[in-house]
Amino acid sequence: MKRSYFTAITLAIATLSAGHALAADPATAKTREQVRAELLEAQRTGNIVANAETGELQNQVYPGRYAAEVVAQGKTRAEVQAELRDAVRTGDVVANSETGETLSQLHPQNYPAQVVAQPRTRVEVQAELREAVRTGDLVANAETGEKLNQVYPGRYASEAVAQGKTRAEVRAELIEAQRTGDIVANGETGQKLNELYPNRYSAKSVN
């Protein structure tokens, strides 16, 4: 059991990578060969968890064994580690490389129920990309994570957070909405998750 669990954790990076790819294009699915190729690449670069408790990777514990890695998409190592720890906590880690099933799918009773976000349409993804280009909210330097509007602030209008809320407040509200199910699940009827699946949420979460 320990060996299979550790093997499952080592696939976390490949799982996270697959998640980002799907977010970019919801219609695209990974083949088994692609998943295996990503796993081999992770093994080659040492981008595999060496310590499940701390989230440290092989290339962090033994940096001399691997070439220096540039973190893609402007994410810091701390952010990658945080995502990995959250994936381990929620069971969003591949347990069966043949089927692609995660630990939370094989053993749902061991993990909290997850709120399934509605997949974004191509139109929504394209709209978000256009907005990011317009505001300069795109990574300009992969090593530092700086965005275009940070490197060239004069080219873009200063970004105002709606209703004077900080990014931290907006994120906190989103997390709370996901926890309580106060998120629209059906765009046609306007029904929320806590209305469609009231048994998954406490009675207080229903507005």
Side-chain angles (χ1 to χ4, degrees), residues 40-72:
L40 290 174
E41 178 65 12
Q43 291 173 332
R44 184 185 68 79
T45 60
N47 203 20
I48 293 177
V49 174
N51 188 321
E53 293 183 1
T54 65
E56 286 185 296
L57 306 178
Q58 291 279 0
N59 53 24
Q60 292 175 308
V61 178
Y62 309 106
R65 297 181 182 177
Y66 305 95
E69 179 186 4
V70 177
V71 179

Side-chain angles (χ1 to χ4, degrees), residues 90-110:
T90 60
D92 191 21
V93 177
V94 174
N96 188 323
S97 59
E98 293 291 327
T99 64
E101 288 182 295
T102 62
L103 285 170
S104 59
Q105 291 174 319
L106 290 177
H107 309 288
Q109 71 281 4
N110 295 338

Side-chain angles (χ1 to χ4, degrees), residues 75-194:
K75 289 191 177 182
T76 64
R77 290 186 182 276
E79 289 174 327
V80 174
Q81 290 173 354
E83 287 187 0
L84 177 58
R85 284 194 295 270
D86 189 60
V88 172
R89 181 184 64 81
T90 60
D92 191 21
V93 177
V94 174
N96 188 323
S97 59
E98 293 291 327
T99 64
E101 288 182 295
T102 62
L103 285 170
S104 59
Q105 291 174 319
L106 290 177
H107 309 288
Q109 71 281 4
N110 295 338
Y111 302 94
Q114 296 186 30
V115 177
V116 180
Q118 279 192 302
R120 292 178 296 176
T121 64
R122 287 182 181 272
V123 174
E124 290 174 325
V125 172
Q126 291 172 351
E128 289 184 1
L129 177 58
R130 285 194 297 269
E131 180 65 13
V133 172
R134 185 185 69 80
T135 61
D137 194 23
L138 294 171
V139 174
N141 189 321
E143 293 185 1
T144 64
E146 286 183 298
K147 298 180 180 180
L148 285 170
N149 53 21
Q150 293 174 316
V151 178
Y152 309 106
R155 296 182 182 178
Y156 305 94
S158 57
E159 183 179 359
V161 179
Q163 300 178 354
K165 293 183 180 179
T166 64
R167 290 183 181 275
E169 288 174 327
V170 173
R171 288 173 182 170
E173 288 186 358
L174 175 59
I175 292 172
E176 178 64 13
Q178 290 175 332
R179 184 185 69 80
T180 61
D182 193 21
I183 295 177
V184 174
N186 190 319
E188 294 182 1
T189 65
Q191 285 183 298
K192 299 179 180 179
L193 285 170
N194 53 25

